[in-house]
Amino acid sequence: MAGLLVLLALLPLAGRAQVLVGATAFGPVFRGLRPAGADTALLLVARARRVGVSTFVQTSGARGYLRLGARQQLRYRVGTDMIYDSRGTPPFVREDYGADVADVFTLDAANHWQLGQQLHYDQSRANATRTGLWLGRLGYQRRLRAGSGTDTLSQMRLTLLGGLATDRRNGREDAGFALGFDAAALYFLNGPAAAPLAVRVLGTRARLGPRTMQRLVAEAAGEQALLEGAPLVVQGRVGYRTNRAEDYLLGSVQRIQSDTVAVQAGASYRINEFATLRSDNSLLLPNRAFRYRRLGERADTLQDVGYRQRELDTRQELRFARPKLQSSISFNYRERTRSYFLENSRFLSVPRLAAALAREQVKDIKEQTILWLGNLTWLPSPRHALAMLGTAQLLRVDAPSKDNQQTRDEAQHLLRLTWTGRWAGAFRTSLGVAGEYRQTVFIRASQSAENYVDHLLHWEPGFTWAPGKWSIRSNYHLWVSYQVRDQAAEQARNRASRVLEQSQSISYQLRPRLLLLADYQRRENRVGQLDWTRFRESPLDTSVTHDLSIGGRQSWVGKRGSTSLRLGYRLLEQRNYGRAALQLDNPTGPASQLIYLHGITRQQGPEVAVERRATAGFSLTASIWLQWLRTYSAYSLGKGAFSGSSYTAADLAQETRRVLPYFELAAEWRVGRR
């Protein structure tokens, strides 16, 4: 059944003239005998990389298009997707296989009637599931404004689908019939450059043993310009979606019923040549229900449960643009309300039903977000720009149940100034300064100890200089956070955090196709205990990461594509600083002693990367970092004892040495490209 849902996925029906109705997972294979995109008989794709010490990721696929005659075409796709962890049991975290074949034949010269079929296969060995699908398809299409020589895009499509579906999971193998229909239309009332009126109704149903899968989608969207000169444009969308999915759970069949109503309306009004007012409003009403029915007499029926939700989102924006001054201010309001309900499927008594309902209603929640956002950009000269951004946001979370501890208010205020300048000699500078204030207040008295205020400061200088064959880039970002608890008894939990990120990059063009490169990145994170009244802090943990890479890149360019080779060396080192206790083998003295512990992880080794970009044929990107990994510890003695993590001298003397090749490979091969 998963294949049926993929095959009949809802195509977005908004504004581009290239949008096509009736698309499948392959794209618009039923559009005609010349599909969109490259006319390729076969495209082979393979990607593999190491993402951890014992984890590997691999994907591969083949897809293509064959023209079997003047009116027939075939599109196909097969692929794999795997995640492998050598330490796991079983080692495959994900092992998925998939295949699709679609065939379509045009019955008449006017291309009104099409007859087609599609085969789909999907298997997940790690999850022990397998699905299969065969669908036949009869389609009809025609232009809606056949008499108009300028409108060749307005059209309607009607499609009927029917076939067989199989689904194997949880030790069961089910099979049944799958049916569906698809009716869609695009109407370009205002020409191909404007958004069309789009309408679509899509329905599918499959009966798989004791389970039923069902889906219905109806959606309409449009846009219209009003008033003379089109200063006012209104657009809207309305949709309804219902989905029924069933699966096995604890000896029962679980039915997930999803019903959603969506309404969206917006408008754009051009006040004058400099100012524009925009409005976007939407209402979403999703309802979910989880129902259960027993498969056997011994199976216990779970309690039916569900929730009703309402999401309201509105955005009002005013924009002003002059040659040297641009500004905007917007107001956003979002509200989300969710309430849970029970159906007495287990025939509980009134007191037990009330108790079960109260347990579910603990999750009831209401969220309201108010956001004001304004920005201003000033160009005092052609080479300099000053930008200012300000935000003010209030989040209110209300949980009616006294057992729900999420009731709180969160306020955030941000002001950011950014200046950029260009100078002589290809020299550019930038400077960003920002201040942020956050406050979190829990409403219930039992949670008041968690109330805090966060003060944040940002400092972001940087420059770029490109004198001749040199290119030098440098960027810094320092942000400081002071988190202060409200209650006097919680001041020991105050924290100060400093994060410094810096990036340096230097390149030199030694020859026209030989480039020398050097990159260095550093990140330092310090966390300390804060005494806010005295504005003092005591360090707790510090981590520093260094990433250095040097090398050269040689490139060659030919008629069939380009090739580049990079050779270099990379060093990645992470140091963690903290306090710990050293266990002492001293029966007459203290059992432990304070130490200042340094945990060091160093990865270094040569790097080789090859890249081949071809206009047609074979393309390859491959790299390998042959790294020597070493992990060890160092420490110095302090005074007194420490309550926390403790180690013996033998523990701290241990170290790890390994050789790990980190690789990444991506290859594409186009065969039979016309």
Side-chain angles (χ1 to χ4, degrees):
M1 185 54 201
L4 180 62
L5 298 180
V6 172
L7 174 66
L8 302 177
L10 178 63
L11 183 70
L13 297 176
R16 295 178 55 192
Q18 292 82 2
V19 169
L20 300 171
V21 297
T24 71
F26 283 112
V29 297
F30 295 99
R31 178 174 181 261
L33 294 180
R34 295 184 60 84
D39 187 5
T40 303
L42 176 62
L43 172 62
L44 300 175
V45 179
R47 294 180 177 86
R49 63 190 179 103
R50 186 176 198 155
V51 296
V53 174
S54 61
T55 308
F56 304 84
V57 175
Q58 180 270 331
T59 59
S60 62
R63 62 180 183 268
Y65 158 77
L66 293 176
R67 187 169 180 174
L68 304 178
R71 296 184 179 180
Q72 188 176 9
Q73 65 177 2
L74 178 73
R75 298 196 75 179
Y76 56 91
R77 178 179 62 184
V78 296
T80 65
D81 187 1
M82 301 182 184
I83 299 178
Y84 181 85
D85 188 345
S86 60
R87 298 174 299 181
T89 304
F92 279 98
V93 179
R94 183 171 67 201
E95 187 180 2
D96 297 343
Y97 302 89
D100 289 277
V101 179
D103 174 69
V104 61
F105 182 80
T106 301
L107 299 178
D108 59 332
N111 196 23
H112 289 324
W113 292 92
Q114 303 94 27
L115 184 65
Q117 62 178 335
Q118 176 158 345
L119 294 174
H120 172 82
Y121 176 79
D122 186 25
Q123 181 182 10
S124 175
R125 294 185 62 181
N127 296 329
T129 61
R130 185 178 64 209
T131 60
L133 175 70
W134 172 81
L135 276 180
R137 173 168 180 159
L138 176 64
Y140 174 77
Q141 66 177 11
R142 69 172 299 115
R143 291 177 55 185
L144 291 178
R145 304 172 70 182
S148 174
T150 59
D151 185 1
T152 60
L153 298 175
S154 296
Q155 58 182 301
M156 74 168 185
R157 292 171 180 259
L158 303 175
T159 306
L160 296 178
L161 305 122
L164 300 173
T166 62
D167 188 296
R168 180 180 180 181
R169 65 186 63 219
N170 299 325
R172 297 174 177 267
E173 186 164 357
D174 301 324
F177 291 99
L179 302 173
F181 71 93
D182 187 359
L186 291 177
Y187 190 74
F188 289 82
L189 180 63
N190 300 312
L197 173 63
V199 180
R200 187 174 193 187
V201 180
L202 168 70
T204 64
R205 180 181 174 86
R207 179 77 176 181
L208 298 171
R211 299 178 297 141
T212 300
M213 307 294 184
Q214 186 171 293
R215 183 187 185 197
L216 176 64
V217 176
E219 189 174 19
E223 179 178 300
Q224 182 62 47
L226 304 175
L227 302 180
E228 185 178 355
L232 176 62
V233 177
V234 297
Q235 55 90 18
R237 178 188 298 265
V238 61
Y240 172 74
R241 177 177 302 181
T242 178
N243 187 59
R244 174 181 175 181
E246 294 186 344
D247 204 350
Y248 299 106
L249 181 66
L250 300 177
S252 301
V253 173
Q254 180 192 53
R255 174 182 173 183
I256 304 176
Q257 181 68 45
S258 170
D259 301 285
T260 303
V261 177
V263 180
Q264 184 266 336
S268 175
Y269 179 68
R270 190 173 68 250
I271 301 174
N272 53 42
E273 58 179 327
F274 305 115
T276 303
L277 180 63
R278 297 178 181 177
S279 177
D280 190 9
N281 313 277
S282 64
L283 175 64
L284 197 65
L285 301 174
N287 295 326
R288 302 292 184 269
F290 302 85
R291 299 186 173 93
Y292 305 88
R293 63 178 184 272
R294 290 181 295 181
L295 289 173
E297 303 214 350
R298 295 185 179 180
D300 186 16
T301 302
L302 302 175
Q303 180 68 58
D304 291 352
V305 65
Y307 66 82
R308 301 179 181 90
Q309 186 166 304
R310 183 186 66 186
E311 299 180 22
L312 174 64
D313 198 344
T314 179
R315 175 185 174 92
Q316 319 300 324
E317 182 183 41
L318 177 62
R319 288 182 174 269
F320 181 81
R322 296 295 298 265
K324 291 189 175 184
L325 185 67
Q326 295 90 37
S327 65
S328 68
I329 184 171
S330 65
F331 169 77
N332 297 262
Y333 176 79
R334 177 179 174 83
E335 179 180 313
R336 183 177 74 94
T337 303
R338 176 179 290 188
S339 58
Y340 285 80
F341 63 89
L342 286 182
E343 296 181 4
N344 195 8
S345 58
R346 303 184 67 182
F347 305 104
L348 301 177
S349 62
V350 174
R352 293 184 62 189
L353 179 63
L357 179 59
R359 287 194 299 268
E360 291 296 331
Q361 289 180 338
V362 170
K363 299 179 289 186
D364 289 359
I365 199 169
K366 180 179 180 180
E367 297 178 354
Q368 294 176 300
T369 303
I370 299 174
L371 172 64
W372 287 92
L373 188 148
N375 62 68
L376 175 69
T377 302
W378 178 43
L379 306 175
S381 68
R383 290 180 170 266
H384 300 275
L386 181 64
M388 180 175 64
L389 171 68
T391 64
Q393 177 177 293
L394 175 62
L395 168 64
R396 313 199 76 169
V397 181
D398 182 21
S401 174
K402 64 179 181 179
D403 296 324
N404 193 324
Q405 305 298 326
Q406 299 186 65
T407 303
R408 68 189 185 276
D409 290 346
E410 296 182 9
Q412 178 187 13
H413 304 274
L414 170 69
L415 180 63
R416 178 185 297 273
L417 295 174
T418 305
W419 169 77
T420 57
R422 293 183 298 162
W423 311 87
F427 187 67
R428 299 186 179 187
T429 58
S430 64
L431 177 62
V433 181
E436 194 172 355
Y437 177 87
R438 302 175 184 174
Q439 184 177 13
T440 300
V441 178
F442 288 87
I443 306 304
R444 303 193 190 282
S446 60
Q447 293 290 103
S448 59
E450 302 298 326
N451 297 347
Y452 68 89
V453 175
D454 210 354
H455 311 264
L456 296 97
L457 300 174
H458 298 259
W459 176 258
E460 305 172 21
F463 73 88
T464 301
W465 188 28
K469 297 182 178 182
W470 289 92
S471 177
I472 304 173
R473 296 191 304 273
S474 179
N475 293 284
Y476 297 84
H477 186 186
L478 170 65
W479 67 89
V480 184
S481 170
Y482 300 105
Q483 189 178 102
V484 183
R485 301 284 168 170
D486 289 357
Q487 292 189 2
E490 301 293 329
Q491 295 303 299
R493 300 172 61 190
N494 293 346
R495 291 294 182 265
S497 175
R498 288 183 175 84
V499 179
L500 172 62
E501 288 184 348
Q502 61 182 92
S503 174
Q504 319 290 337
S505 178
I506 301 176
S507 64
Y508 179 72
Q509 196 75 45
L510 185 61
R511 290 199 296 268
R513 301 198 182 278
L514 178 58
L515 183 66
L516 302 181
L517 302 165
D519 295 292
Y520 173 69
Q521 295 182 0
R522 182 179 185 272
R523 178 184 174 91
E524 180 177 346
N525 189 356
R526 295 177 178 267
V527 179
Q529 184 176 1
L530 175 65
D531 185 348
W532 180 248
T533 57
R534 300 182 181 180
F535 203 66
R536 295 179 181 178
E537 60 181 281
S538 302
L540 295 176
D541 296 295
T542 301
S543 64
V544 181
T545 302
H546 305 273
D547 191 349
L548 173 64
S549 177
I550 59 175
R553 185 176 63 197
Q554 175 70 49
S555 60
W556 299 268
V557 178
K559 295 182 179 180
R560 296 184 178 181
S562 62
T563 305
S564 66
L565 173 65
R566 174 171 174 167
L567 301 175
Y569 172 86
R570 184 182 178 188
L571 168 66
L572 178 62
E573 182 181 271
Q574 181 175 353
R575 292 176 173 261
N576 295 315
Y577 302 87
R579 293 182 294 177
L582 177 64
Q583 296 179 6
L584 302 177
D585 188 10
N586 187 359
T588 61
S592 63
Q593 184 177 358
L594 170 67
I595 60 172
Y596 300 100
L597 181 62
H598 301 170
I600 304 171
T601 301
R602 183 175 296 153
Q603 301 162 267
Q604 58 180 324
E607 269 190 319
V608 180
V610 179
E611 184 176 358
R612 169 64 181 173
R613 295 294 182 185
T615 56
F618 184 73
S619 298
L620 173 69
T621 301
S623 65
I624 184 171
W625 177 24
L626 185 60
Q627 64 163 253
W628 280 264
L629 171 65
R630 183 189 178 196
T631 302
Y632 62 100
S633 302
Y635 64 93
S636 59
L637 296 176
K639 295 182 179 181
F642 176 77
S643 177
S645 301
S646 60
Y647 305 89
T648 64
D651 294 335
L652 299 178
Q654 294 179 357
E655 66 175 62
T656 301
R657 293 177 181 267
R658 296 185 64 181
V659 178
L660 295 173
Y662 273 77
F663 64 90
E664 186 168 353
L665 172 68
E668 291 187 2
W669 188 19
R670 295 185 180 273
V671 183
R673 182 184 177 93
R674 300 180 183 90

